[in-house]
Amino acid sequence: MNGLSKQCDEFPFAATWEGSAMNGQKWFSIRLIPSESNQAAGNWLGKWYAYDRILDNDRFHVQVEAPTEITSIRSEGTPQEGQDYRSSGNFKIDNIPPYATKLKWTITDGPTDAHFDVMHDVSFGIDETIFSDLHNGSITDIKKSEDLYIAKPSNTGGKSFTVHVTAVP
């Protein structure tokens, strides 16, 4: 397995009375994930129990927050005609869910190994680079803004691509 080991991740958490180890029922979910991820989540969970003083038989509620797509934008594989950098129309980043801490940038069609910048369209001024050298799977801080565009595409072979921007916890 390329030196990576896997472990069984479960929900509800195995450490709870509802978890797969304790409930004697079949209403739980399991999945193999990288050991490092499972151990990190277990460590985080243990620290949360201690921080919030969750004791044996204490009740608590887990609300799962799924990633939320903020926008998607189609980009040309090269700058648009008459433009030095711009390869897409404008888009905005707003309506960020309160639980979100980062943005994830995903290329869903076209050359998935493309790289690009995101710039802010400044009327009567010099456009500012907001994010540099993004690629499929990049994670960035959240920067709300209007009038953004994809710029300086590279590694595209001249082919168009679509970028989805997702707010993640």
Side-chain angles (χ1 to χ4, degrees):
M1 268 200 273
N2 298 334
L4 297 176
S5 63
K6 301 266 186 178
Q7 291 181 341
C8 182
D9 186 36
E10 63 286 320
F11 188 84
F13 312 120
T16 66
W17 284 100
E18 293 177 343
S20 61
M22 304 297 262
N23 73 26
Q25 305 294 319
K26 293 184 179 179
W27 40 276
F28 55 87
S29 173
I30 58 174
R31 181 177 182 183
L32 284 177
I33 64 170
S35 296
E36 184 178 282
S37 296
N38 195 40
Q39 290 167 3
N43 287 337
W44 180 90
L45 184 62
K47 289 176 185 175
W48 174 66
Y49 288 157
Y51 179 81
D52 280 340
R53 297 187 41 83
I54 308 264
L55 303 175
D56 196 24
N57 287 320
D58 281 354
R59 291 176 177 249
F60 61 89
H61 175 78
V62 175
Q63 182 173 336
V64 178
E65 302 287 358
T68 302
E69 183 167 288
I70 302 304
T71 191
S72 66
I73 186 73
R74 186 79 177 153
S75 174
E76 300 301 319
T78 59
Q80 295 175 343
E81 188 174 329
Q83 297 289 321
D84 292 330
Y85 306 122
R86 173 191 288 272
S87 60
S88 76
N90 284 357
F91 65 95
K92 63 182 175 179
I93 295 175
D94 64 356
N95 295 323
I96 305 294
Y99 65 81
T101 62
K102 299 285 183 183
L103 297 175
K104 183 173 183 178
W105 302 77
T106 307
I107 299 172
T108 57
D109 66 1
T112 56
D113 57 345
H115 286 242
F116 58 92
D117 291 353
V118 174
M119 297 183 75
H120 182 246
D121 188 2
V122 178
S123 296
F124 308 109
I126 298 172
D127 293 354
E128 173 187 14
T129 300
I130 305 298
F131 300 113
S132 295
D133 197 31
L134 298 180
H135 53 84
N136 191 27
S138 286
I139 304 288
T140 64
D141 289 333
I142 295 172
K143 295 184 181 177
K144 292 182 182 181
S145 186
E146 294 184 0
D147 301 324
L148 299 173
Y149 62 89
I150 303 293
K152 302 180 186 177
S154 64
N155 238 20
T156 66
K159 296 181 181 175
S160 299
F161 57 98
T162 301
V163 176
H164 294 269
V165 183
T166 307
V168 295

